[in-house]
Amino acid sequence: MKNKVSLQRHGFGWFLALLLGCCLVVGFCSLQAFGASTSTKTLKKETDLTATVGETGGFALDSDYDETVTSTGDGQYTHTEYVLKSVTSKNSSVVRVSDLTYEVLAPGSSELVVTYTKMVYITDSENGTISDATNPTSEDVTFTVTMTTSYDMSDVTLSSSAVTIYATDYDSDADGVGTITLQNTPYTMSDDDGITELSVFSSNDTMSVTSSLRDNVITFNCTTPGTTTLTITVNGKSFNVTLTMAKLTLVNTKLMAKGKTATLKVKMVTDSAGTTTYLDNSKITWSSSKSSVATVSSSGKIKAKKCGNTVIYACVGNVRLGCALSVATAKKVKAIKKAVKIGDTCTYSQARRMRANYYDCSSLVWRAYKSAGITVVSKKTAPVAATIAKWLIQTKKHKCYTFSYSDVQKMVYNAGDLGFKTGAKNGRYKGIYHVEMFIGYTYQGYADGSAVLSPRWANRDSTWYHTSIICR
């Protein structure tokens, strides 16, 4: 916008002095009111500006607008001067401007409308002033620039430049999860706050890494073993972090004889080739859920103290591994191993149940216990399942339970107990038609503050829950 005005010599001199004086006084007062720094943004057409949230300062025209003096060739000189007149912000919620000073209130952008006065006058001397001028003229010129604002990230750092995360086979929420913290942030950052931008790039394309940012904490998730360099960019500032993902495994079931010792080790895979090493015990916290049954040392050494059940935990970082341990007498351990061997190597046949290399459910139990020197009903031949149950309950007064999933989770049953299936109309004791040897538990994970367990049978998989009663 141009508005040409012809001014008389003396009147224009007073006008210029008054204009400059007002601009300087008002601008200074505004900076003081803002408590601003002395930073100054130079203004030039088609040249945009950047600033940080909380920044304050003033404006000045670029050096391109410095006074120029040119000779007219006839002993006179043309002077051109520029005076910044006003700056207004079109988005005062982002940038507030008052009397040629600014304050950045929020990230974003705002167009600034800049108006300056261009004055042209002629004097008889190169060093002449406007008071010596003949017929000075002025015009107001306006242009627009954009000020883009953001938070100052210069002091932001990460809590670490390397992160190791762990995963297990249990599919828990903690698997493959790691965190790193942003420090010295200008505000509390979250990727859903509408003002924070987060991106994470993995240099290893075989390792897919997802991420999120909540309250200055960046959470990573990766379940592929390996090492990668992550380029983390937050609001334009980038960091490099070395991420290692290790897949951990621990034997999930174990049977021990009372008084014996054994050592557990956590296996670790840290590459796509599946190379296995053992995790150093200094990174593991070992514990036993029932130390009266078995204890475990800081090196993973177990001591079986009495018959019963416990879970041996190995905690690494934020993941938990477990081994369901059953402790039994040496004779029962021997019987259990024999039962498993019969089921694995012999052929099921009720007709040939007492012949070598054949078995049925009750002859398996009978032979297994016989190998350990324990008689079940008879020393000569294997009774049917119903007879074994009647003998345990009525003759031996053994303790019996109604089999349930909840009692499996409580580890109520002991290795070597016998489970019976009832309900047949066969005229036998309680309608029993099947027997299985219970041999322990399998650790399947951790949820709601306790282990998740499944039963183990000598001749059935862990999904078999068809036992009605179980006797010790």
Side-chain angles (χ1 to χ4, degrees):
M1 176 180 69
K2 297 185 178 181
N3 179 27
K4 294 191 175 181
V5 182
S6 178
L7 301 175
Q8 294 300 317
R9 175 192 301 242
H10 298 297
F12 186 76
W14 283 107
F15 163 77
L16 179 60
L18 180 62
L19 177 64
L20 290 173
C22 290
C23 288
L24 289 172
V25 171
V26 172
F28 176 78
C29 292
S30 297
L31 281 173
Q32 294 299 312
F34 282 169
S37 65
T38 57
S39 61
T40 300
K41 297 294 185 186
T42 57
L43 301 170
K44 182 179 179 181
K45 188 177 181 180
E46 298 180 351
T47 303
D48 292 333
L49 307 172
T50 60
T52 57
V53 175
E55 181 181 325
T56 58
F59 294 108
L61 289 173
D62 188 78
S63 60
D64 284 0
Y65 300 93
D66 288 348
E67 178 185 2
T68 61
V69 180
T70 58
S71 173
T72 63
D74 56 1
Q76 292 187 313
Y77 295 87
T78 300
H79 299 256
T80 304
E81 291 186 20
Y82 305 86
V83 177
L84 181 61
K85 184 177 182 180
S86 67
V87 178
T88 58
S89 171
K90 288 189 174 182
N91 188 352
S92 58
S93 65
V94 173
V95 180
R96 184 173 66 190
V97 177
S98 175
D99 300 324
L100 299 182
T101 60
Y102 69 90
E103 180 180 20
V104 180
L105 303 177
S109 65
S110 177
E111 287 188 340
L112 303 181
V113 180
V114 181
T115 301
Y116 65 88
T117 299
K118 178 181 178 181
M119 296 169 291
V120 180
Y121 55 93
I122 297 173
T123 67
D124 294 332
S125 168
E126 184 177 1
N127 296 319
T129 65
I130 195 168
S131 62
D132 305 320
T134 302
N135 296 323
T137 62
S138 73
E139 60 179 338
D140 286 346
V141 181
T142 299
F143 63 86
T144 300
V145 297
T146 298
M147 178 178 278
T148 301
T149 64
S150 62
Y151 282 100
D152 184 3
M153 297 289 291
S154 59
D155 292 332
V156 178
T157 59
L158 292 181
S159 58
S160 176
S161 60
V163 177
T164 299
I165 61 178
Y166 302 98
T168 68
D169 291 325
Y170 310 133
D171 295 325
S172 73
D173 292 340
D175 279 351
V177 177
T179 60
I180 199 166
T181 301
L182 292 169
Q183 303 175 137
N184 306 318
T185 59
Y187 65 97
T188 301
M189 295 182 167
S190 295
D191 57 17
D192 60 354
D193 58 18
I195 57 176
T196 303
E197 295 183 356
L198 169 72
S199 67
V200 177
F201 172 76
S202 171
S203 65
N204 185 343
D205 57 11
T206 67
M207 295 178 66
S208 175
V209 181
T210 60
S211 60
S212 63
L213 171 59
R214 296 290 185 277
D215 298 332
N216 288 353
V217 178
I218 302 174
T219 300
F220 307 104
N221 189 284
C222 178
T223 56
T224 305
T227 299
T228 184
T229 298
L230 299 180
T231 301
I232 303 168
T233 304
V234 184
N235 284 0
K237 183 167 185 177
S238 296
F239 309 89
N240 287 331
V241 173
T242 301
L243 175 70
T244 300
M245 208 300 287
K247 188 70 172 286
L248 306 180
T249 56
L250 176 69
V251 59
N252 57 12
T253 183
K254 192 168 186 63
L255 174 67
M256 292 178 65
K258 176 183 174 182
K260 296 295 184 178
T261 61
T263 300
L264 294 179
K265 292 185 177 181
V266 174
K267 291 183 179 180
M268 177 173 64
V269 175
T270 56
D271 59 36
S272 58
T275 306
T276 300
T277 58
Y278 289 105
L279 183 65
D280 192 285
N281 277 303
S282 63
K283 300 181 182 297
I284 306 171
T285 300
W286 293 97
S287 64
S288 172
S289 66
K290 197 169 185 180
S291 57
S292 61
V293 172
T295 57
V296 60
S297 71
S298 60
S299 62
K301 185 176 181 179
I302 301 169
K303 182 176 181 180
K305 299 174 67 177
K306 73 174 187 178
C307 295
N309 305 285
T310 185
V311 177
I312 303 298
Y313 290 114
C315 293
V316 184
N318 60 342
V319 300
R320 180 190 298 263
L321 299 96
C323 173
L325 172 66
S326 292
V327 178
T329 64
K331 286 188 174 183
K332 282 193 175 181
V333 170
K334 184 177 180 179
I336 289 168
K337 292 180 178 180
K338 180 66 173 180
V340 172
K341 184 177 180 180
I342 292 172
D344 289 343
T345 61
C346 298
T347 302
Y348 180 86
S349 172
Q350 286 187 323
R352 297 181 176 86
R353 61 194 292 268
M354 294 305 296
R355 296 185 185 179
N357 301 320
Y358 292 94
Y359 74 96
D360 70 355
C361 65
S362 55
S363 68
L364 180 148
V365 168
W366 182 81
R367 284 177 171 168
Y369 271 116
K370 184 179 180 181
S371 71
I374 300 173
T375 299
V376 177
V377 183
S378 170
K379 292 183 178 181
K380 294 182 178 181
T381 189
V384 296
T387 301
I388 296 174
K390 185 177 180 179
W391 176 74
L392 287 172
I393 296 170
Q394 294 186 350
T395 305
K396 294 296 184 179
K397 307 297 182 183
H398 283 208
K399 189 171 184 178
C400 292
Y401 309 84
T402 299
F403 187 78
S404 69
Y405 174 83
S406 62
D407 280 347
V408 170
Q409 304 314 305
K410 297 174 185 176
M411 302 185 106
V412 169
Y413 315 120
N414 286 348
D417 289 354
L418 298 180
F420 298 93
K421 185 62 180 173
T422 64
K425 295 180 180 180
N426 55 11
R428 295 175 179 173
Y429 181 72
K430 294 185 179 292
I432 290 172
Y433 62 92
H434 187 76
V435 61
E436 283 290 337
M437 184 182 291
F438 184 82
I439 62 172
Y441 302 86
T442 299
Y443 179 87
Q444 294 187 317
Y446 193 83
D448 300 325
S450 61
V452 178
L453 305 167
S454 60
R456 297 185 65 225
W457 306 96
N459 195 36
R460 298 280 182 172
D461 63 33
S462 61
T463 62
W464 193 75
Y465 273 90
H466 299 293
T467 291
S468 301
I469 59 174
I470 190 164
C471 299
R472 182 164 301 153

